[in-house]
Amino acid sequence: MPSTNDETKPAINDANSVTERQSVVAEANLLRLPLFALHTKGLKNLDGFECRGTTTRGENTLEFVFRTARSTATLYPGRLSRSVHLAFLSLITEQGLPFANPVTWTWRNLCTRLGVQPSGKIVQLLKGAIEATAGLTIYSRDALYSKPNGQRLNTRKAMHLYETVVFVNETLPDGSIADTNHLWLSSWYLDNLNALYTAPLDHELWRFLDKQSPIASRLYEYLLINFFSGVPQLRINYPRLAQFLPVRPERYFSDAHKQLEPAFQLLVKTRIAANVTWYKRKKDVAQLRFDRGSRLRGLPDPKVARLELTSLESTSSFAIREVRRTPEQELVSEFYRLWFGRSEQRPNSADLELARRLLAKHGRTHLNAILPLIIQQLKKHWPGARTFVAVEQYVSPAVEQYQHQQQVATQRRQQDEQHQAEHQEAERQSVLRQQFEAQWQPAWDQLPMGEQTAIRDGLLGTHPFLRLAPHELQFRCLQELARQSAEPGDAAPK
């Protein structure tokens, strides 16, 4: 979301004007591991991220998995959800220790922290972004660290970042009506915040970077957690860094440089990094060296935090992939959304097999267009259908109906285009006629009466019906006068 002037802080318009601001508490796990999508395209079929790797603890090697999955009722949380979450962290920081649920806010307050003007449209966008984050499920197998418990979280149950969200005028858990917005953070996340398993993040600086480049703001988070551990320098291979952001790793050095260098320049200008150096490598495209900037040298550096945050980085392998829906999964989910009003029902193997065959025969765009017509056929002939497989025998009638609708639409469009062309031609002729009359009427008025009568009688002799159309008769007289004058370019319009 764009950043603009707000009511409490001066705008940041230039990297060199960014000064030290009050920091917000940022939970350490999510500074390192990617949770939000940095891009806006393709969120519709992005289901989540899966991170797998190994870490060494003493003589033991531990495998870990971090996985996220969106709610089928929302898009995957992206840039706006990420901006809103940072705004919530600024609210929580102002609350002071111990941080407690619920966090309450007004839409005007939240918009101020985001740097936008509140409006009905903005509020709807913010609600969608918050609901997307609330619906996100998180799975951890030795990936997330619990500071109060002193161990990594390992559970088969889905976790969340937000436990409950209640907007103004909705019903609160106690049955009363909310007079403002309420957010309950999940216990594991709130416990880590209260245990100070955090690093201080400058929210205003983050906003400035995010406005320029979401990659730069994400790099700020990642470098913050690494430099907070006390190291003056970070070396990391390009493919590994790309996955931590996450962005798509490029195959060639020139493409990787084009992808990340603008963000690196922002980091140097804002003194997050003193310098960023590229080293070409055949296998890994490049290795990157970040020298800690002056802005991060004065961070609190407790020994406990240094030990635990360093352990997070001691991974010997790491890989992240996007989990996306296939076209057949998208088709089946859209059917269940239209048929039952929800898309949560999981497709079975028969559903997916039929979807693959239909996509191969009709194409994705065509099927998306005729799916509502298939639904109409199904409601008419088989209203009790429960699975996607039921649509098979109604695809052909729907295709015929769609083709007929397209033909009718084409004919109507052609008729509309013809009528428009005729109307435009009539308007053009009307303008030409007015111009012609304006040119020749003065000449007619100066013509002797006898000559006027001769021209008029000659026309009436040939076209007696003109007696009933005085204006048309007068126009024909001007035409005849122009013809007799035989001046080039003075021919009258039809």
Side-chain angles (χ1 to χ4, degrees):
M1 177 171 286
S3 178
T4 60
N5 294 358
D6 60 43
E7 300 174 3
T8 59
K9 300 176 182 177
I12 297 177
N13 298 314
D14 182 81
N16 295 322
S17 69
V18 181
T19 57
E20 296 292 339
R21 306 288 175 122
Q22 182 178 2
S23 298
V24 301
V25 291
E27 200 269 346
N29 285 301
L30 299 189
L31 286 175
R32 179 172 180 270
L33 294 171
L35 184 76
F36 299 98
L38 294 187
H39 47 76
T40 56
K41 293 183 179 179
L43 290 182
K44 183 178 179 180
N45 62 357
L46 176 62
D47 271 356
F49 295 108
E50 182 180 82
C51 308
R52 290 181 176 270
T54 58
T55 184
T56 301
R57 185 182 300 169
E59 297 181 354
N60 299 320
T61 298
L62 182 69
E63 294 184 359
F64 67 87
V65 178
F66 174 74
R67 188 167 68 251
T68 63
R70 71 174 173 93
S71 165
T72 54
T74 66
L75 297 179
Y76 192 89
R79 289 187 60 187
L80 181 55
S81 296
R82 182 168 169 252
S83 295
V84 171
H85 182 66
L86 264 291
F88 284 152
L89 289 182
S90 71
L91 275 166
I92 294 166
T93 303
E94 290 182 4
Q95 172 185 311
L97 287 168
F99 307 126
N101 281 322
V103 180
T104 59
W105 82 94
T106 65
W107 291 119
R108 180 171 296 278
N109 188 355
L110 184 60
C111 287
T112 296
R113 293 171 190 274
L114 292 170
V116 298
Q117 293 297 322
S119 68
K121 182 178 179 180
I122 290 295
V123 168
Q124 290 304 311
L125 290 174
L126 293 176
K127 283 184 176 180
I130 295 167
E131 288 171 344
T133 305
L136 190 70
T137 52
I138 302 171
Y139 301 87
S140 170
R141 190 180 73 197
D142 294 323
L144 299 175
Y145 183 80
S146 171
K147 173 71 176 295
N149 297 330
Q151 61 185 15
R152 294 175 182 265
L153 296 174
N154 189 354
T155 176
R156 293 183 179 181
K157 294 182 180 180
M159 301 187 299
H160 298 272
L161 192 57
Y162 305 158
E163 193 64 39
T164 306
V165 177
V166 177
F167 298 125
V168 62
N169 295 327
E170 294 182 348
T171 304
L172 289 165
D174 63 5
S176 62
I177 301 301
D179 58 0
T180 190
N181 302 294
H182 293 68
L183 168 69
W184 281 263
L185 297 171
S186 292
S187 58
W188 71 270
Y189 188 75
L190 185 63
D191 289 345
N192 268 349
L193 292 178
N194 278 317
L196 298 182
Y197 192 55
T198 60
L201 182 142
D202 186 329
H203 186 214
E204 193 70 7
L205 172 61
W206 185 94
R207 275 180 52 193
F208 167 76
L209 293 172
D210 196 58
K211 180 180 178 181
Q212 308 299 319
S213 163
I215 293 178
S217 59
R218 174 63 186 135
L219 277 167
Y220 171 38
E221 297 171 11
Y222 185 72
L223 292 178
L224 175 65
I225 200 65
N226 281 277
F227 287 144
F228 188 77
S229 65
V231 297
Q233 189 180 92
L234 172 68
R235 285 181 178 266
I236 186 170
N237 291 337
Y238 162 75
R240 185 182 179 90
L241 178 64
Q243 290 183 101
F244 272 115
L245 297 181
V247 294
R248 184 187 67 183
E250 298 290 353
R251 295 178 58 188
Y252 303 105
F253 180 87
S254 59
D255 293 331
H257 190 273
K258 182 179 179 181
Q259 178 191 50
L260 296 185
E261 184 60 25
F264 292 165
Q265 292 179 8
L266 279 170
L267 297 181
V268 173
K269 288 180 179 179
T270 52
R271 296 179 287 110
I272 293 170
N275 189 48
V276 183
T277 308
W278 293 80
Y279 300 96
K280 283 187 177 182
R281 285 196 168 190
K282 291 184 178 180
K283 182 178 179 181
D284 297 314
V285 181
Q287 185 180 79
L288 297 160
R289 190 192 74 195
F290 295 87
D291 296 310
R292 185 171 59 177
S294 60
R295 186 180 293 276
L296 301 185
R297 286 179 187 151
L299 292 173
D301 195 23
K303 294 181 179 180
V304 175
R306 178 187 304 177
L307 175 64
E308 291 171 349
L309 296 180
T310 302
S311 71
L312 277 176
E313 184 57 27
S314 61
T315 54
S316 55
S317 69
F318 180 86
I320 182 172
R321 68 181 184 91
E322 291 183 344
V323 180
R324 291 189 173 273
R325 290 190 177 187
T326 63
E328 51 266 29
Q329 289 173 329
E330 281 292 318
L331 177 62
V332 175
S333 293
E334 180 63 9
F335 163 78
Y336 285 124
R337 187 187 70 81
L338 293 173
W339 187 242
F340 293 117
R342 63 182 189 276
S343 56
E344 289 85 352
Q345 183 166 338
R346 295 294 179 183
N348 57 42
S349 58
D351 287 340
L352 296 176
E353 175 57 31
L354 175 60
R356 275 189 286 269
R357 287 192 280 112
L358 293 177
L359 286 166
K361 183 177 181 179
H362 300 284
R364 187 172 183 176
T365 302
H366 193 197
L367 271 178
N368 287 338
I370 66 174
L371 187 57
L373 300 179
I374 297 174
I375 296 292
Q376 290 179 9
Q377 293 282 341
L378 197 60
K379 286 182 177 179
K380 180 179 179 180
H381 300 287
W382 193 354
R386 306 300 299 172
T387 64
F388 177 75
V389 174
V391 309
E392 185 168 15
Q393 59 182 313
Y394 303 107
V395 174
S396 294
V399 169
E400 293 176 1
Q401 183 182 357
Y402 177 76
Q403 291 173 343
H404 175 70
Q405 289 179 349
Q406 292 298 104
Q407 291 173 357
V408 171
T410 299
Q411 293 173 356
R412 185 178 295 112
R413 184 174 62 254
Q414 291 173 345
Q415 291 174 353
D416 291 342
E417 291 173 353
Q418 182 179 353
H419 291 159
Q420 183 179 7
E422 292 173 350
H423 178 70
Q424 290 175 347
E425 177 60 21
E427 288 186 337
R428 189 180 72 85
Q429 289 296 333
S430 176
V431 171
L432 292 176
R433 183 167 178 150
Q434 292 173 8
Q435 293 173 348
F436 179 80
E437 289 176 338
Q439 177 183 357
W440 285 98
Q441 187 63 45
W444 174 265
D445 294 338
Q446 296 175 6
L447 201 65
M449 186 63 67
E451 293 182 24
Q452 289 183 359
T453 301
I455 292 174
R456 187 181 294 109
D457 290 347
L459 289 170
L460 290 173
T462 306
H463 308 290
F465 68 88
L466 290 175
R467 295 181 186 277
L468 303 176
H471 184 74
E472 183 63 22
L473 173 60
Q474 180 60 25
F475 182 71
R476 295 291 185 93
C477 289
L478 297 182
Q479 284 183 313
E480 181 61 20
L481 176 60
R483 187 189 65 79
Q484 292 178 8
S485 300
E487 294 185 10
D490 287 338
K494 298 179 180 180

